């Protein structure tokens, strides 16, 4: 009796779980790739990272440059060379003269690949200031000052930069500029410009944390703008107000600061506006900006994909168009302003210069009223909302398709060290797959997508892993499996799911109706007959591949049953085998109109004279001893399983 009650409760609980799984199906990755399903290459770093910042920079074929603490590495993942790590500088030579009992007092704070060269721009910050130089990417090379960098080097040298701050480096005919933010520093917090002209922030702000910086290139130089994305901690907040406010700030890149001798070196064009990610209807919103990724179209910054959290640990991705941002800066009223707005309007980059008087007027105006009244709303609602996955980084890849436009793939890292590959479609995000390059609970510190190679480089504090993103063969052997995957990298090539000569693909809908009918081997249930003892208890196990599919067990006599849904398999309980339960058991998966048989087998009662099927078929038993019968069934006891062979 008691056993029966416990069982009923357990089953009710399992059905409840199944319902939850159903509700959040759209939030689950369709497939989960284990480290065995993915081509991974790993390279261990050669020192223990002190602070939690690593910067990865793409460097040609299968190579990445890594900056961590004071170390710089070049990692080569090309198997021909044998994966290698070349330390480009050692702490000893750079830290000479420092106290020997202390760790090297140096951090690499800026790192950019120089266009078209084998060099990086590298800045190192010590206790006394920052030095920037050109660094050739070979182990014996030296850090050399260059003519084009001399203005950056001389304007930056007294500042101490922090690690993990975004920066933008622009090169144009010998006038190189470095824009970099400071979220916490003994100097002023904000956006800095170093180079032939120097501009720096003035007004102290509310504890901002800068998360992304991007340049917008206009049709002429005077229209070039720099956008900074950051969150500010709310200090004044009452109980109802959010802990954070997300912002975008704009400066004109040609801004050279105030007039000579008066507020020189201070931005005259700096404005900011709040961002809004959420549903206006349900009043749900996300206020903690976490990371941003930039999308360029025709070589120009066009959209920003922003990752948010809310106070309940829910993650969301919102898309902001540069048009919408720029419209707010051009048309909104200024927060708290009662005066007439100076003309030309502050923030209008085309009319940046003017008389010293004009400049001064504009400067004092933007210092008093830097914030816009209007907020920047995201395009539509959130692209993706996830209650179950806490995302930490966002990267993107615009994949050209056969019709001269693009599919956007997002890569989102999770707190647990996993990565989700998400397709942006018109109405939402479709989570194609989950990758697991690391063991559980590994913190991902940085990642970059190498678009041309279709590889992702992901770093923890001890290693960098290269993930091959085109595992098309892993989606399945059939055309339908391939199309349902909706992976822009993959399509059906008449025989396989592959990354080349794609004949059939439907990334938008996963419509597989044009697939040829399957001509591979069929399943014969008679081949898989298992005889089990009377009254014995078993689970029939059906492996789950697509978590977006509906799995059903078909029992003898046309009955069907919901499965005890778990992450990796759909189990059916045979609670006491008897003659009435003899027959064919079949598990099917249905997804967007495509039904396939996953496993099938015939179950018989073992009788005198009949031999049990050899254990090689994967037969396991539960409750063979009397002690076993007294154990209440709980999820922990689903150990002994009778597996009917999978038919792929
Ligand atoms: C890099 O250099 C190439 C030619 O050397 C040029 O076409 C390209 O626009 C440059 N890219 C940037 C970002 O400056
Ligand atoms: C290097 O970075 C770490 C962590 O951000 C910081 O604690 C340390 O003070 C920095 N060292 C120098 C010399 O700036
Ligand atoms: C990019 O160029 C294509 C064709 O030249 C055009 O159709 C499209 O609107 C452009 N996109 C943007 C954002 O300017
Ligand atoms: C986009 O993806 C969402 C979530 O998977 C799905 O519900 C929706 O039908 C898709 N829209 C289109 C047009 O494919
Ligand atoms: C399809 O892809 C497979 C695996 O990449 C390859 O072996 C096969 O030759 C391709 N078939 C065609 C017709 O391109
Ligand atoms: C799939 O494509 C076929 C033919 O191309 C079309 O008839 C059918 O309506 C499509 N199905 C869906 C669900 O869009
Ligand atoms: C099971 O269903 C099939 C087809 O749906 C039908 O032909 C058959 O008579 C049914 N059998 C029983 C026992 O209901």
């Amino acid at each position: 009796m008691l056993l029966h009650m416990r069982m009923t409760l357990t089953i009710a609980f399992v059905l409840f779980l199944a319902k939850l799984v159903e509700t959040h199906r759209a939030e689950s990755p369709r497939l989960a790739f284990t480290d065995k399903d993915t081509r991974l290459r790993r390279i261990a770093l050669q020192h223990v990272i002190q602070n939690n910042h690593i910067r990865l920079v793409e460097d040609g074929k299968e190579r990445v440059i890594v900056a961590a603490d004071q170390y710089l590495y070049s990692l080569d993942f090309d198997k021909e060379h044998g994966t290698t790590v070349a330390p480009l500088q050692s702490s000893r030579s750079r830290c000479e003269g420092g106290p020997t009992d202390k760790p090297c007092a140096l951090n690499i704070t800026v790192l950019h690949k120089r266009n078209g060269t084998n060099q990086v721009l590298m800045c190192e910050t010590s206790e006394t200031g920052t030095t920037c130089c050109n660094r050739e990417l070979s182990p014996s090379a030296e850090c050399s000052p260059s003519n084009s960098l001399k203005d950056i080097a001389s304007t930056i040298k007294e500042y101490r930069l922090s690690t993990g701050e975004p920066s933008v480096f622009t090169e144009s005919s010998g006038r190189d500029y470095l824009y970099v933010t400071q979220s916490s520093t003994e100097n002023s917090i904000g956006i800095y410009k170093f180079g032939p002209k120097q501009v720096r922030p003035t007004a102290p702000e509310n504890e901002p944390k800068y998360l992304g910086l991007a340049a917008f290139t206009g049709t002429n130089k005077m229209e070039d703008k720099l956008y900074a994305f950051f969150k500010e901690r709310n200090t004044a907040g009452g109980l109802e107000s959010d802990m954070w406010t997300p912002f975008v700030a704009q400066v004109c890149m040609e801004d050279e600061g105030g007039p000579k001798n008066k507020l020189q070196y201070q931005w005259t064009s700096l404005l900011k506006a709040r961002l809004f990610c959420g549903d206006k209807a349900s009043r749900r919103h996300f206020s903690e900006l976490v990371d941003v990724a930039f999308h360029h179209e025709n070589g120009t910054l066009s959209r920003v994909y922003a990752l948010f959290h809310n106070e309940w640990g829910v993650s969301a991705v919102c898309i902001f168009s540069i048009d919408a941002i720029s419209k707010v800066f051009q048309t909104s009223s200024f927060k708290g302003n009662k005066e007439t707005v100076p003309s030309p309007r502050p923030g209008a980059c085309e009319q940046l210069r003017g008389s010293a008087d004009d400049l001064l007027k504009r400067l004092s105006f933007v210092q008093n009223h830097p914030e816009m009244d209007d907020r920047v709303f995201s395009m539509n609602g959130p692209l993706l909302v996830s209650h179950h996955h806490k995302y930490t980084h966002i990267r993107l890849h615009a994949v050209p398709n056969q019709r001269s436009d693009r599919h956007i793939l997002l890569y989102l890292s999770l707190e647990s060290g996993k990565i989700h590959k998400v397709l942006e479609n018109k109405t939402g995000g479709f989570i194609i797959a989950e990758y697991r390059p690391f063991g559980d609970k590994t913190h991902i510190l940085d990642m970059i997508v190498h678009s041309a190679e279709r590889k992702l480089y992901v770093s923890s504090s001890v290693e960098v892993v290269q993930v091959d993103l085109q595992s098309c063969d892993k989606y399945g052997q059939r055309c339908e499996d391939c199309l349902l995957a909706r992976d822009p990298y993959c399509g059906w090539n008449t025989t396989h799911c592959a990354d080349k000569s794609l004949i059939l693909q439907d990334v938008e809908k996963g419509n597989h109706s044009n697939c040829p009918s399957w001509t591979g081997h069929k399943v014969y249930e008679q081949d898989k007959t298992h005889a089990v003892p009377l009254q014995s208890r078993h689970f029939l196990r059906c492996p789950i591949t697509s978590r977006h599919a509906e799995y059903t067990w078909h029992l003898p006599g046309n009955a069907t049953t919901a499965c005890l849904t778990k992450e990796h398999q759909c189990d059916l309980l045979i609670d006491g085998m008897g003659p009435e339960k003899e027959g064919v058991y079949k598990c099917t998966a249905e997804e967007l109109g495509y039904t396939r048989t996953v496993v099938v087998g015939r179950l018989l009662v073992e009788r005198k004279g009949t031999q049990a099927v050899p254990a090689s078929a994967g037969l396991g038993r539960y409750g063979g001893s009397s002690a076993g019968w007294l154990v209440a069934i709980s999820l922990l006891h689903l150990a002994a399983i009778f597996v009917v062979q999978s038919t792929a």
Side-chain angles (χ1 to χ4, degrees):
M1 183 62 193
L2 187 63
L3 174 67
H4 184 254
M5 248 178 70
R6 285 164 108 176
M7 260 184 61
T8 314
L9 277 177
T10 307
I11 287 167
F13 176 65
V14 166
L15 290 178
F16 165 74
L17 277 186
K19 186 132 196 145
L20 272 185
V21 167
E22 170 77 27
T23 316
H24 299 300
R25 181 174 291 170
E27 287 187 13
S28 306
R30 184 174 173 273
L31 300 184
F33 291 136
T34 64
D35 55 352
K36 285 180 210 72
D37 297 326
T38 322
R39 283 180 289 274
L40 300 173
R41 286 183 191 155
R42 23 185 107 242
I43 295 182
L45 297 176
Q46 295 180 333
H47 78 285
V48 178
I49 287 168
Q50 303 293 323
N51 64 65
N52 266 349
H53 293 293
I54 280 195
R55 186 155 299 171
L56 302 178
V57 175
E58 181 187 318
D59 180 27
K61 191 170 178 296
E62 311 245 355
R63 278 208 314 270
V64 285
I65 309 161
V66 182
D69 301 335
Q70 73 270 36
Y71 300 89
L72 188 70
Y73 298 107
S74 168
L75 306 187
D76 189 346
F77 289 84
D78 188 349
K79 217 168 191 169
E80 310 263 299
H81 302 153
T83 51
T84 53
V85 48
L88 296 180
Q89 76 190 30
S90 73
S91 58
R92 193 168 301 159
S93 68
R94 315 271 330 152
C95 293
E96 260 162 28
T100 48
D101 57 333
K102 279 176 102 179
C104 180
L106 203 64
N107 288 325
I108 298 176
T109 43
V110 173
L111 185 69
H112 289 279
K113 185 86 187 6
R114 296 211 69 141
N115 190 15
T117 65
N118 189 33
Q119 292 179 340
V120 283
L121 158 70
M122 179 172 85
C123 299
E124 296 166 301
T125 298
S126 71
E127 303 284 351
T128 54
T130 299
T131 57
C132 295
C133 66
N134 272 327
R135 177 69 166 77
E136 199 79 38
L137 290 172
S138 65
S140 56
E142 282 300 306
C143 206
S144 56
S146 90
N147 214 24
S148 65
L149 277 188
K150 83 175 186 312
D151 292 322
I152 293 178
S154 69
T155 47
I156 207 171
K157 65 175 190 285
E158 284 158 25
Y159 291 92
R160 292 193 54 211
L161 306 186
S162 352
T163 50
E165 293 285 339
S167 57
V168 162
F169 176 53
T170 61
E171 300 173 83
S172 73
S173 58
R175 281 167 57 87
D176 294 352
Y177 278 102
L178 179 68
Y179 300 83
V180 59
T181 61
Q182 287 301 288
S183 301
S184 63
T185 161
E186 59 261 42
N187 311 310
S188 291
I189 288 169
I191 307 167
Y192 286 77
K193 168 175 167 178
F194 298 109
K197 301 282 178 185
Q198 187 198 159
V199 188
R200 59 184 183 228
T202 41
E205 297 183 61
N206 303 330
E207 274 192 70
K209 168 77 186 134
Y210 287 92
L211 299 157
L213 206 54
F216 169 84
T217 320
T219 44
N220 73 65
K221 257 167 75 133
M222 290 306 290
E223 291 171 20
D224 291 355
K225 293 177 186 118
L226 188 78
Y227 292 106
F229 293 83
F230 61 102
K231 60 181 176 190
E232 256 181 35
R233 193 184 282 283
N234 284 334
T235 43
L239 274 180
E240 274 115 83
S241 70
D242 297 312
M243 192 140 76
W244 299 97
T245 310
F247 279 103
V248 53
Q250 169 208 284
V251 294
C252 303
M253 294 179 83
E254 288 294 307
D255 193 342
E256 294 178 353
K260 257 213 168 72
N261 308 325
K262 271 193 177 159
L263 302 170
Q264 206 177 356
Y265 308 132
Q266 295 174 17
W267 296 107
T268 64
S269 60
L270 178 70
L271 298 175
K272 66 177 185 178
R274 280 166 297 153
L275 299 169
F276 181 85
C277 171
D279 303 305
K280 272 177 272 182
S282 70
R283 300 184 53 191
R284 176 171 68 165
H285 69 283
F286 299 86
S287 60
E288 185 183 354
L289 185 60
V290 177
D291 195 14
V292 289
F294 300 110
H295 176 53
H296 294 79
E297 268 173 272
N298 303 339
T300 305
L301 179 67
S302 65
R303 291 175 176 194
V304 180
Y305 288 70
L307 171 63
F308 290 85
H309 292 166
N310 71 8
E311 270 132 70
W312 294 274
V314 182
S315 299
V317 174
C318 276
I319 308 172
F320 297 93
S321 77
I322 293 298
D323 286 347
I325 293 173
S326 126
K327 183 148 180 265
V328 166
F329 287 126
Q330 281 166 18
T331 61
S332 167
S333 50
F334 294 81
K335 198 172 179 181
N337 177 43
K338 298 212 172 60
E339 313 159 31
T340 43
V341 175
S343 168
R345 185 183 159 95
C349 298
E350 308 76 26
Q351 297 153 311
L352 199 54
R353 312 252 194 274
S355 67
D357 254 13
D358 282 354
L359 269 182
L360 204 57
K361 228 190 279 168
R362 210 178 319 148
L363 182 71
S364 79
F365 185 86
V366 299
Q367 289 189 345
N368 291 325
H369 310 290
E371 190 176 338
M372 306 279 93
D373 271 327
D374 293 353
R375 289 180 287 178
V376 181
F377 288 97
S378 64
M379 301 166 71
N380 308 315
L383 172 70
L384 186 80
V385 172
S386 183
H387 297 78
H388 300 281
H389 303 292
K390 196 161 184 188
Y391 295 122
T392 58
H393 293 81
I394 182 169
R395 300 289 178 266
L396 62 86
H397 181 198
V399 191
N401 66 15
Q402 287 142 327
R403 296 189 320 259
S404 80
D405 61 353
R406 268 139 210 281
H407 293 297
I408 305 286
L409 279 180
L410 303 178
Y411 291 96
L412 293 163
S413 66
L414 278 76
E415 250 182 352
S416 56
K418 297 168 186 159
I419 293 148
H420 284 175
K421 181 192 219 172
V422 180
L423 172 74
E424 175 195 347
N425 73 7
K426 293 201 177 61
T427 55
F430 175 79
I431 310 180
I432 296 175
E434 175 174 283
Y435 294 94
R436 299 174 176 172
F438 300 111
D440 233 14
K441 305 267 173 276
T442 304
H443 283 292
I444 290 178
L445 300 183
D446 197 11
M447 60 179 184
I448 52 171
V449 182
H450 195 308
S451 327
E453 287 175 0
R454 300 186 170 180
K455 299 219 164 86
L456 186 72
Y457 293 91
V458 198
S459 168
S460 71
S461 60
V462 296
E463 60 180 348
V464 180
V465 182
Q466 181 198 56
V467 182
D468 186 347
L469 299 170
Q470 292 194 115
S471 319
C472 300
D473 52 320
K474 298 295 180 223
Y475 289 122
Q477 295 173 10
R478 299 193 191 187
C479 176
E480 288 88 347
D481 298 325
C482 188
L483 266 59
L484 284 171
R486 296 173 64 186
D487 186 330
Y489 301 147
C490 302
W492 187 248
N493 79 355
T494 71
T495 57
H496 291 79
C497 197
D499 53 31
K500 286 188 199 73
S501 6
L502 317 182
I503 304 293
L504 276 180
Q505 192 190 44
D506 184 16
V507 173
E508 279 86 10
K509 294 205 174 73
N511 186 341
H512 50 82
S513 64
N514 291 329
C515 276
S517 54
W518 173 246
T519 53
H521 70 278
K522 287 241 161 44
V523 188
Y524 298 102
E525 52 250 37
Q526 290 79 2
D527 297 347
K528 309 244 163 31
T529 297
H530 300 268
V532 299
L534 197 66
Q535 293 300 332
S536 61
R537 306 165 74 203
H538 301 277
F539 281 100
L540 301 191
R541 173 160 289 183
C542 174
I544 287 180
T545 44
S546 169
R547 292 171 189 169
H548 291 187
E550 190 91 49
Y551 285 78
T552 310
W553 272 103
H554 302 262
L555 315 181
N558 284 5
T560 58
T561 182
C563 43
L564 311 184
T565 306
K566 293 206 293 173
E567 202 184 341
H568 303 298
Q569 63 256 341
C570 161
D571 290 335
L572 176 71
L573 171 66
I574 305 292
D575 188 21
M577 186 58 192
E580 75 289 358
K581 292 182 180 161
E582 287 189 325
V584 173
Y585 289 80
K586 182 165 89 167
C587 170
T588 58
E590 195 277 332
E591 187 174 5
L592 293 182
Y594 165 55
T595 306
R596 84 193 161 97
T597 300
V598 186
V599 297
V600 62
R602 183 188 296 276
L603 216 53
L604 296 175
V605 177
E606 193 182 292
R607 296 186 175 84
K608 276 215 174 70
T610 58
Q611 280 295 309
V613 167
S616 67
L619 185 75
R621 279 197 209 162
Y622 182 72
S625 71
S626 62
W629 284 106
L630 295 174
V631 180
I633 295 176
S634 74
L635 291 177
L636 288 178
H637 288 95
L638 297 183
I641 302 297
F642 167 42
V643 183
V644 189
Q645 195 167 335
S646 166
T647 60

